[in-house]
Amino acid sequence: MITDEMLAPDFSQKNQLPSLKHLFGTDWLGRDMFLRTIKGLQNSIIIGSIASIISSIIALIVGGLAGTMPKWVDHIVRISIDLVMGIPHLILIILISVLAGRGVRGLLIGIALTHWTSLARIVRSEVLQVRNDHYVLISRRFGKSNFYIFKEHMIPIVLPQYIIGLVLTFPHAILHEAAVTFLGFGLSPEAPAIGIILSESMKYLVNGVWHLAFFPGLSLVLLVLLINKLGDNLSLLLNPHLARE
């Protein structure tokens, strides 16, 4: 557990190069960059996880409505998806974040409301493929509601794609959190976030202090690649046909 005391400035150790004592070196305030990076990644993982889960729930609801409700509902859903996807995510997240008051709350709302579209399309497509299957039609004949049919018959079909989509949404959420924070519209400057670390380090690159940006940036990239690899392996596990190909 990384505490605030561990991240406190120590001017006697400022501007240290990477060493065994400080693996990523120290910044201009003597703060250990390895600890700041780990704390920043921890914050990114928490924000990315919560935002991805909320976004995936929105996608499941929207995709389910499009696939089970009348055609006019599907038409509205498709228009909404196209509208959200037609605006660059970064700009839309910044606008929503500012309107929601910035900070963690604004960032969570912004990411959650912009990352549901691709997964919603997948859920909608899967639901449309089974909505006219015999067991679904029989359930309708017995008077079962759309909610019952979606919960009992369609969610088991959608679940593998939903889980994969949730995992693959995660790295996008982390990258957008870092990007929005880097631009100054995300977490507060006092927070040990990767975006804050990279933003602060830009002014020192011209002086040859390369380690302030290199190691945090590399750590972020490796985390995203690791999660993407996890998503790919999970896709092969849940879809054996892809593994045979």
Side-chain angles (χ1 to χ4, degrees), residues 47 50-52 54-55 58 92-116:
I47 293 173
I50 297 173
S52 297
I54 296 173
S55 186
I58 295 173
L92 192 55
I93 293 171
I94 291 174
L95 290 175
I96 296 174
S97 177
V98 171
L99 290 174
R102 299 192 180 186
V104 175
R105 184 184 66 178
L107 202 54
L108 279 173
I109 295 174
I111 295 174
L113 293 182
T114 55
H115 284 70
W116 57 271

Side-chain angles (χ1 to χ4, degrees), residues 186-224:
L187 301 180
S188 63
E190 297 80 17
I194 296 297
I196 297 295
I197 293 173
L198 294 177
S199 177
E200 291 175 344
S201 64
M202 290 298 102
K203 65 185 74 171
Y204 295 93
L205 284 178
V206 294
N207 297 326
V209 189
W210 55 273
H211 62 276
L212 296 183
F214 177 77
F215 290 112
L218 179 62
S219 300
L220 178 64
V221 171
L222 290 177
L223 175 63
V224 170

Side-chain angles (χ1 to χ4, degrees), residues 171-172 174-175 219-229:
H172 289 275
I174 291 177
L175 286 175
S219 300
L220 178 64
V221 171
L222 290 177
L223 175 63
V224 170
L225 291 177
L226 179 63
I227 298 172
N228 269 326
K229 187 63 176 178

